[in-house]
Amino acid sequence: MFKLSAGITMCEEIDQMAQLRRPKLLIRAARFGQKDYERGRDLKRLLAARDLPRPEEALRALLAEEDALETARRDGAAGYSFLRHIEVLIAMMAEARLLPRLQAAPTVRVA
C-alpha cells in the first residue's frame, strides 16, 4: 500500500476511483480517447505543471479535479466543460494504469 501525504493511502484513491459512477457517454468518450493520451503533453496541461508528477500524485490531483467537474455537471454550472471532464477522465484512466500492480486498476462504472 502506498502512503501519500496527508495520511491518504493509494489504495483509498484506487477505491475512490473504482466507485465512480458517471454517464455512459462520458466513459465511452474517455475510453475512446485513451489511444491519443500523451502523458508528457496532456498531464502537464491538465494539471498546469512544469514537471510531470509521479502517477500517484497525478491521480490524486486528477481525482480532485474530476470531483469538482462532476459537481459542476450535476449542478448545471455555466462554466462546466464537457471536454475538460473527458480529458480528466482520460488522464485518470491512464495514470491508474501506471500505478504499481498492488491490485488491478479500477474500472469506472457507468451510471
Side-chain angles (χ1 to χ4, degrees):
M1 181 178 333
F2 295 102
K3 191 75 169 173
L4 301 173
S5 61
I8 298 173
T9 63
M10 197 68 242
C11 286
E12 290 169 352
E13 298 289 341
I14 290 171
D15 289 343
Q16 180 183 355
M17 189 173 167
Q19 293 181 17
L20 292 177
R21 302 291 185 271
R22 300 298 180 258
K24 191 180 292 190
L25 183 59
L26 272 175
I27 301 307
R28 282 187 181 171
R31 286 184 182 144
F32 185 77
Q34 290 292 294
K35 64 180 168 66
D36 294 324
Y37 180 74
E38 187 178 313
R39 189 172 197 266
R41 175 194 66 205
D42 299 329
L43 192 58
K44 283 182 179 181
R45 180 178 50 79
L46 288 170
L47 299 180
R50 287 184 65 183
D51 300 317
L52 285 175
R54 294 188 336 250
E56 304 87 42
E57 295 166 348
L59 185 56
R60 186 178 345 120
L62 290 164
L63 281 165
E65 172 75 13
E66 197 280 333
D67 185 55
L69 288 164
E70 178 62 11
T71 299
R73 182 188 71 79
R74 287 179 181 249
D75 291 346
Y80 171 72
S81 171
F82 189 77
L83 178 60
R84 180 151 179 96
H85 202 161
I86 293 168
E87 290 174 330
V88 169
L89 286 169
I90 289 169
M92 283 172 51
M93 290 175 183
E95 294 301 310
R97 287 191 178 103
L98 295 176
L99 295 173
R101 295 286 179 200
L102 289 180
Q103 63 186 43
T107 302
V108 179
R109 296 190 184 139
V110 178

